[in-house]
Amino acid sequence: MRLFMKQLLHGKGQPDGDKLQYLEGRLKTGRIQEKCQGPCISASNCSQPCAQHFRGEIGFTCHQDKWQKSTETCTSLSVETLFKDFNTAARLSLAASSIPVHILDFRAPEPVESVAQGIRRHCPIDYACILDVVKSSEATSGNIAFIVELLRNISTDLSDNVTQEKMKTYSEVANHILDTAAISNWAFIPDKSTSSDLLQSVNLFARQLHVHNDSENLVDELFIQAKGLRINHNTPEKKFSFSTSMNGTTEGLLGMIEIPRQELWKLPPNASQAISIAFPTLGAILKEVHLQNMSLPRPVNGLVLSVILPEGLKQVLFTFEKINKSRNARAQCVGWHSRKRRWDENACETTLEITNKVKCLCNYTNMVMSFSILMSPRSIDNKVLDYITCIGLSISIFSLILCLIIEAVVWSRVVVTEISYMRHVCIVNIAVSLLIANVWFIINSNFHKKAQGSNWCVALTFFSHFFYLSLFFWMFFKALLIIYGILVVFRRMMKSRMMAIGFAIGYGCPLVIAGTTVAVTVPEKGYMRPDACWLNWDNTKALLAFAIPALVIVAVNLVVVLVVAVNTQRPSIGSSKSQDLAIIMRISKNVAILTPLLGLTWGFGVATLVEGTSLIFHIIFALLNAFQGFFILLFGTIMDHKIRDALRMRMSSLKGRSRAAENASLSPTNGSKLMNR
């Protein structure tokens, strides 16, 4: 995420063609960023005048014993310079609705007429008289603020008869301050609402444009594009498609706006119009301006698309191509609220997300006319978690293999009764299910990009889902055996019937759930999530087919552990403190043994599902479950005294056989035979 923002703000690519008539170097303002003189005391402020030919000042704040630039109002533009090539009888100034005097810093201004009047006098047809002056200016923070205020005044005072020529000139002025080289300078404008004002002004001006032809290309600048078309209630479904360059690269970033047919039915018979505008860099500008604003903690991960529709249309479909297409770059559809000046997460919902694209259904209102996608905070990308998972799974796989070897060695000595037989059947199947699930997890983690969107990915997801469910259902059956052993004393079930029930629960139920999930979601392409071979959440909620059974089993098994704890406590009248301590130790031991064997550690997963959960809960969850195989070996096998006794007997018998063989090889009879040979 940080890498992307750094590349976007400091991209080296330089676009070619006639659209870019100025050099990137002219947009930068490094030569006027001088530091304050004197001691730097924490939280103190100072200011420096701008360089020659600029009016305004640069503000600095002391942070970590260094002066850091905080604000800048350096501007070379004024109402005078806009019309300097024209023979005007007097200097032009501003009316109340025009650019504030404190931005321009005029000396002894002589108000004669407004900017709007100057444009009406010198270039009423296309506003071209201000274009050369604006495009030749450096994109300092002060000049950016001046140009935004200029555009806002034009949108307010000169939008009564907007033609395509006026729209083109207006967009060229906006394009100058939307350049990638100017992005970082937006952060130093004192008024943090400037970027929102620009977006609102462009939308307001475009709303007054009259579209003549169907599917008309209105503006085709490098950093702003606009299209329009005529629509009515009989119009079929309409689409706007954009492909804009990012950082001067030749590969375009795609965006699409769709007006559904059912929405077009709401229009009157007479023709209406729809206009759409694409901004490839505005998302980065909004992020840069609101860097300290907690309502914008994530960068925009696609185009910002505005749409101006007739009254009555409420819903629009957007398709965004992701800028950052990594597996952790999850998307969240949002709309920019012009009054609240922030992204509104309730304005849109995600209808489809794949590796490189996102589809959004958004509610169109006068307050929310611009839409985009943000990087979602739900994915956790942390090296500590990666290390814990990698080390834990390696140890767990080794532990589970060792557990199965031990069970095979001592099997004949420990499966004496029906209950003990089924208990070890449960442990073996828990170990097998977790071992295979861990192996599938590793395969998924390493090959999901290659397998994405293929039948191989469907297979990976299905088997991971099946074996993780098998793990939980075998834990559930083990809990049932514990309750059965406690409650049923005199009547015992036949081994064959218990085996049938165990395998029906342990493998039958997971097969039904996993198979049903595939059958229901695969036809709708909602089985897998877009960034990994695992169950989808955003579109079909297929992940619930794993989460609900797992959490229900964890809750039931927790009740079983409490029953065991209560049953273990057998107080007697006049019991001593040592007896009470022994009871507490016995309860603690039983709970410690049953917690990993019954999967209670997965209960911590509930905390990780809550958005904004502290990283410590994710670390605890990763520690407990990555090492679950080791815990099963420790508590389910090594700490079982019957297994330890069986191992000792096995080792003793092996030693006895080796000694007997050694004695036989050294006996006199055997020696005489050797001599005779």
Side-chain angles (χ1 to χ4, degrees):
M1 189 183 303
R2 293 174 183 168
L3 257 173
F4 154 65
M5 288 303 298
K6 187 174 182 181
Q7 291 171 353
L8 182 60
L9 299 183
H10 304 285
K12 296 180 181 179
Q14 182 66 27
D16 299 324
D18 297 332
K19 293 180 185 177
L20 200 60
Q21 299 177 3
Y22 42 84
L23 298 176
E24 183 176 330
R26 295 185 61 183
L27 293 171
K28 296 185 178 179
T29 59
R31 63 186 182 86
I32 63 173
Q33 297 179 16
E34 300 175 357
K35 295 291 187 294
C36 289
Q37 303 297 324
C40 179
I41 303 173
S42 180
S44 60
N45 300 309
C46 75
S47 62
Q48 290 288 313
C50 298
Q52 192 177 6
H53 307 304
F54 287 89
R55 294 183 303 277
E57 62 182 20
I58 308 171
F60 295 89
T61 301
C62 183
H63 181 67
Q64 295 181 350
D65 298 327
K66 292 182 179 179
W67 288 112
Q68 296 185 2
K69 182 177 172 182
S70 56
T71 60
E72 180 198 311
T73 58
C74 299
T75 177
S76 60
L77 293 173
S78 66
V79 182
E80 280 185 318
T81 58
L82 288 178
F83 306 102
K84 67 180 180 179
D85 294 333
F86 296 93
N87 233 347
T88 54
R91 301 171 62 188
L92 300 176
S93 188
L94 304 172
S97 64
S98 301
I99 302 171
V101 172
H102 73 270
I103 291 181
L104 302 179
D105 192 23
F106 275 148
R107 296 180 181 178
E110 298 176 9
V112 178
E113 55 190 42
S114 69
V115 173
Q117 289 173 329
I119 292 176
R120 284 195 184 102
R121 172 181 295 182
H122 300 295
C123 51
I125 303 300
D126 55 6
Y127 309 158
C129 57
I130 64 172
L131 191 58
D132 290 339
V133 176
V134 169
K135 292 175 70 172
S136 63
S137 65
E138 296 186 26
T140 63
S141 301
N143 280 345
I144 291 173
F146 181 95
I147 293 171
V148 171
E149 193 67 25
L150 173 65
L151 293 173
R152 191 171 73 87
N153 289 339
I154 293 174
S155 299
T156 303
D157 300 334
L158 297 175
S159 59
D160 50 346
N161 182 26
V162 179
T163 62
Q164 186 169 346
E165 290 76 16
K166 292 178 180 179
M167 185 68 196
K168 187 177 186 306
T169 305
Y170 188 96
S171 300
E172 285 188 64
V173 174
N175 184 74
H176 178 69
I177 56 177
L178 289 170
D179 190 285
T180 52
I183 293 175
S184 58
N185 292 333
W186 282 83
F188 304 114
I189 301 175
D191 186 0
K192 299 305 178 185
S193 63
T194 304
S195 56
S196 182
D197 287 341
L198 172 65
L199 181 58
Q200 191 170 358
S201 298
V202 174
N203 289 337
L204 178 62
F205 191 77
R207 183 186 289 275
Q208 305 304 319
L209 176 65
H210 181 70
V211 179
H212 298 285
N213 303 320
D214 188 30
S215 188
E216 186 175 4
N217 289 321
L218 305 174
V219 176
D220 191 19
E221 295 297 320
L222 198 61
F223 304 108
I224 177 172
Q225 293 183 5
K227 297 183 179 182
L229 52 83
R230 305 292 292 175
I231 55 175
N232 56 49
H233 72 290
N234 291 322
T235 305
E237 185 179 79
K238 285 294 184 180
K239 298 181 181 180
F240 297 98
S241 296
F242 293 97
S243 178
T244 64
S245 174
M246 292 295 294
N247 293 340
T249 58
T250 56
E251 183 179 357
L253 188 66
L254 302 178
M256 182 182 292
I257 303 171
E258 301 176 57
I259 307 175
R261 183 71 187 92
Q262 60 268 24
E263 288 292 311
L264 292 169
W265 285 340
K266 301 176 183 178
L267 294 175
N270 55 310
S272 302
Q273 66 181 28
I275 297 172
S276 60
I277 308 169
F279 303 91
T281 58
L282 187 58
I285 289 172
L286 291 169
K287 171 67 179 179
E288 184 77 9
V289 170
H290 297 266
L291 201 57
Q292 306 302 323
N293 189 345
M294 293 307 293
S295 68
L296 279 171
R298 294 152 282 159
V300 175
N301 199 23
L303 295 173
V304 174
L305 296 177
S306 288
V307 60
I308 296 99
L309 300 175
E311 293 293 332
L313 299 189
K314 298 300 181 184
Q315 289 191 326
V316 193
L317 288 169
F318 294 86
T319 302
F320 297 97
E321 182 182 3
K322 294 180 181 178
I323 299 172
N324 186 342
K325 300 177 177 64
S326 67
R327 61 186 296 264
N328 292 318
R330 304 300 305 282
Q332 184 173 18
C333 301
V334 289
W336 183 261
H337 200 290
S338 58
R339 182 171 56 82
K340 298 178 181 178
R341 300 183 187 276
R342 63 174 177 84
W343 290 114
D344 185 358
E345 298 178 358
N346 298 320
C348 301
E349 61 176 299
T350 304
T351 59
L352 178 66
E353 182 178 1
I354 58 177
T355 306
N356 61 336
K357 291 182 182 179
V358 181
K359 198 165 188 177
C360 309
L361 178 63
C362 299
N363 298 318
Y364 171 81
T365 67
N366 288 332
M367 290 291 100
V368 184
M369 300 168 58
S370 303
F371 305 89
S372 190
I373 54 172
L374 298 177
M375 284 190 182
S376 174
R378 287 174 289 179
S379 295
I380 300 296
D381 186 14
N382 186 274
K383 289 186 178 181
V384 175
L385 292 176
D386 292 340
Y387 287 134
I388 290 173
T389 303
C390 182
I391 296 171
L393 286 179
S394 301
I395 295 175
S396 285
I397 289 173
F398 174 78
S399 301
L400 292 169
I401 293 173
L402 184 59
C403 174
L404 293 174
I405 293 173
I406 293 174
E407 287 288 341
V409 170
V410 303
W411 184 266
S412 59
R413 297 180 181 272
V414 294
V415 289
V416 180
T417 63
E418 288 85 355
I419 292 294
S420 64
Y421 181 87
M422 291 307 303
R423 175 181 173 276
H424 286 278
V425 167
C426 284
I427 291 178
V428 168
N429 283 280
I430 287 172
V432 168
S433 298
L434 182 57
L435 176 62
I436 299 176
N438 285 343
V439 171
W440 280 114
F441 180 86
I442 293 174
I443 294 174
N444 284 354
S445 300
N446 288 282
F447 296 101
H448 70 275
K449 290 182 180 179
K450 297 178 182 179
Q452 188 65 43
S454 66
N455 293 330
W456 176 240
C457 189
V458 174
L460 287 174
T461 305
F462 172 80
F463 284 112
S464 295
H465 186 199
F466 172 73
F467 283 107
Y468 273 118
L469 282 179
S470 296
L471 169 67
F472 281 99
F473 275 97
W474 274 110
M475 289 174 173
F476 173 64
F477 183 66
K478 181 171 177 58
L480 294 181
L481 280 179
I482 293 172
I483 293 297
Y484 178 77
I486 292 174
L487 300 180
V488 180
V489 179
F490 299 106
R491 186 178 178 182
R492 294 298 181 187
M493 192 181 299
M494 293 178 60
K495 185 190 297 183
S496 58
R497 182 176 295 180
M498 294 175 72
M499 285 285 289
I501 295 174
F503 277 86
I505 293 176
Y507 292 118
C509 293
L511 184 61
V512 171
I513 295 173
T516 303
T517 306
V518 170
V520 171
T521 58
V522 163
E524 301 295 328
K525 296 183 179 180
Y527 182 53
M528 301 165 297
R529 60 182 60 192
D531 59 346
C533 294
W534 183 235
L535 298 172
N536 187 288
W537 169 253
D538 293 321
N539 303 328
T540 61
K541 300 296 185 289
L543 184 61
L544 293 176
F546 169 73
I548 291 177
L551 293 178
V552 169
I553 290 173
V554 168
V556 172
N557 289 0
L558 177 61
V559 175
V560 173
V561 171
L562 295 176
V563 171
V564 171
V566 172
N567 189 74
T568 304
Q569 184 180 2
R570 294 169 181 162
S572 58
I573 300 175
S575 60
S576 63
K577 291 183 178 180
S578 60
Q579 290 175 324
D580 292 338
L581 183 61
I583 292 173
I584 294 173
M585 293 296 294
R586 187 163 60 246
I587 294 173
S588 302
K589 180 181 177 182
N590 288 334
V591 171
I593 291 173
L594 292 177
T595 295
L597 292 179
L598 299 185
L600 301 189
T601 54
W602 286 80
F604 284 91
V606 177
T608 64
L609 295 176
V610 180
E611 187 173 322
T613 301
S614 173
L615 180 63
I616 189 65
F617 288 100
H618 291 274
I619 292 176
I620 292 173
F621 181 70
L623 278 171
L624 292 176
N625 291 287
F627 288 89
Q628 188 174 14
F630 171 74
F631 295 143
I632 289 174
L633 172 67
L634 178 64
F635 295 114
T637 303
I638 296 177
M639 291 188 66
D640 189 332
H641 68 91
K642 293 182 179 179
I643 292 180
R644 293 200 304 271
D645 292 342
L647 279 174
R648 279 195 293 266
M649 293 175 63
R650 183 71 172 173
M651 295 300 294
S652 298
S653 63
L654 290 175
K655 288 180 180 179
R657 291 179 183 177
S658 63
R659 288 177 181 175
E662 183 181 353
N663 292 334
S665 65
L666 297 176
S667 64
T669 306
N670 191 48
S672 63
K673 291 180 180 179
L674 290 171
M675 292 291 290
N676 292 333
R677 292 178 63 185

